[in-house]
Amino acid sequence: MNSSLLFVPADSKRKFEKAMSSSANCLILDLEDSVAQEHKTAARQQVGGMLDHAQGLKPCFVRINPLNSSLAIEDLKAIMPHRPFGVVLPKCESKDDLIKLAHYLDVHENLLELPNGSTQILIIATETAESLFNMNQYAGITKRLFGITWGAEDLCTDIGAMKNRSDFRYHEPFRLARSLCLFASAQAKVMAFDTVFVEIQDLEQLRLEALEAKNDGFAGKMLIHPSHIDIVNSVFSHDPTELAWAQEVVKLFESNPNAGSLQLNGKMIDFPHLRLARKILKL
């Protein structure tokens, strides 16, 4: 299960230790937005030790700086010897950015004699206006692609919006970015992850936002605070009824391999239900 992905500033040993003892499914050690410019070198030096400590205990991504900055190359040089589970690519605008990062990882894995393709990529694919016009480009580009997520804060700045949400609901330009993330992930056959919830204290609204994301098809949610972990894990965990339904659907179709539609508990089911059932069981 990958329902909760918690951001951890790579320059904070204290927050890392707290995150390691949490129930977060994955950590994202952040070298980008949560680290001030004057601390980036120190964070880059520290993140290797974090990755070494987490090996075999909790999968860790590292969010590097954007590829169009000189910092990204230095980030990769620092983290790859420590075998991160994956790299989070911010400001991804098109397949060209994904291809470039995949090539960089090929080189590092070859030099370090790591298994080719072992480092996953999670892209943040909606942080600029340009990126929204390229969301259909990611299918079939690289087997490294782990998932796609979306972001609203940088997009807000890029389009000149004064704010991106009111009364806990995103405005329409940002709802569009959210939807395109879902469609792009489905096209690429990878998981979609909902963006962070920024109202740290409002746990009930977090639960509602996570529930909406799950119902819409997201596989999990990015998090910025440990208090959000258990709520998100609970929401995205399929209850026994859902799992039992999925198992029955798969079993019924396996018993009737030539059928296009069947009945289960008095309701018609067909191939879309079978695909949904398999997705539930996979998650």
Side-chain angles (χ1 to χ4, degrees):
M1 174 185 270
N2 302 289
S3 59
S4 54
L5 293 83
L6 177 66
F7 279 102
V8 181
D11 61 347
S12 176
K13 184 178 179 181
R14 178 185 62 83
K15 291 181 179 179
F16 169 73
E17 291 173 348
K18 185 175 182 180
M20 281 298 297
S21 64
S22 75
S23 56
N25 299 137
C26 298
L27 303 184
I28 300 174
L29 308 179
D30 189 21
L31 291 170
E32 194 208 12
D33 284 346
S34 65
V35 178
Q37 191 69 31
E38 61 268 24
H39 297 153
K40 286 190 183 291
T41 299
R44 194 181 294 127
Q45 294 169 347
Q46 187 164 282
V47 75
M50 294 178 176
L51 290 169
D52 291 342
H53 179 79
Q55 287 292 337
L57 300 175
K58 198 182 288 287
C60 287
F61 286 89
V62 178
R63 178 164 69 170
I64 62 173
N65 286 279
L67 289 180
N68 62 4
S69 75
S70 60
L71 299 173
I73 298 297
E74 296 302 315
D75 291 343
L76 291 172
K77 284 170 58 178
I79 68 174
M80 287 305 294
H82 302 277
R83 303 187 65 173
F85 175 80
V87 173
V88 174
L89 177 61
K91 314 296 189 296
C92 184
E93 289 196 322
S94 72
K95 66 179 181 181
D96 293 339
D97 288 337
L98 179 57
I99 291 170
K100 182 182 292 186
L101 178 56
H103 286 167
Y104 286 166
L105 295 178
D106 286 341
V107 172
H108 280 285
E109 288 173 349
N110 183 55
L111 291 174
L112 295 165
E113 298 184 347
L114 300 176
N116 182 259
S118 58
T119 311
Q120 304 292 292
I121 297 174
L122 173 61
I123 60 173
I124 307 178
T126 69
E127 293 186 295
T128 67
E130 164 137 4
S131 65
L132 299 185
F133 293 95
N134 299 318
M135 296 292 285
N136 66 338
Q137 296 184 356
Y138 299 116
I141 296 300
T142 172
K143 293 182 179 179
R144 294 182 185 275
L145 187 60
F146 176 87
I148 302 175
T149 187
W150 70 288
E153 305 309 314
D154 286 284
L155 181 59
C156 191
T157 301
D158 198 50
I159 67 174
M162 298 301 294
K163 57 181 180 178
N164 53 36
R165 59 194 292 164
S166 300
D167 299 324
F168 301 105
R169 189 163 182 85
Y170 282 102
H171 297 169
E172 284 308 311
F174 306 95
R175 299 285 299 178
L176 173 62
R178 178 182 182 276
S179 297
L180 287 174
C181 174
L182 272 172
F183 297 142
S185 300
Q187 182 192 30
K189 295 181 172 55
V190 297
M191 291 180 286
F193 294 96
D194 196 24
T195 194
V196 299
F197 182 74
V198 297
E199 302 290 339
I200 293 175
Q201 302 298 325
D202 198 329
L203 300 184
E204 175 58 19
Q205 193 61 39
L206 165 70
R207 187 189 68 81
L208 294 175
E209 184 169 289
L211 183 60
E212 180 183 38
K214 177 190 174 183
N215 289 338
D216 285 347
F218 285 96
K221 192 167 179 61
M222 319 284 277
L223 308 176
I224 57 172
H225 198 272
S227 64
H228 294 181
I229 297 169
D230 289 342
I231 293 172
V232 167
N233 282 348
S234 176
V235 167
F236 279 93
S237 297
H238 289 287
D239 63 38
T241 301
E242 290 174 323
L243 291 173
W245 175 84
Q247 290 167 345
E248 286 187 65
V249 170
V250 171
K251 183 178 180 180
L252 190 58
F253 272 98
E254 287 177 347
S255 301
N256 299 273
N258 297 319
S261 62
L262 296 163
Q263 283 194 29
L264 177 63
N265 300 325
K267 296 182 179 180
M268 189 274 288
I269 58 172
D270 53 15
F271 288 130
H273 296 95
L274 176 60
R275 290 195 294 270
L276 176 60
R278 287 173 171 164
K279 181 177 181 180
I280 289 173
L281 295 176
K282 180 181 179 181
L283 293 175

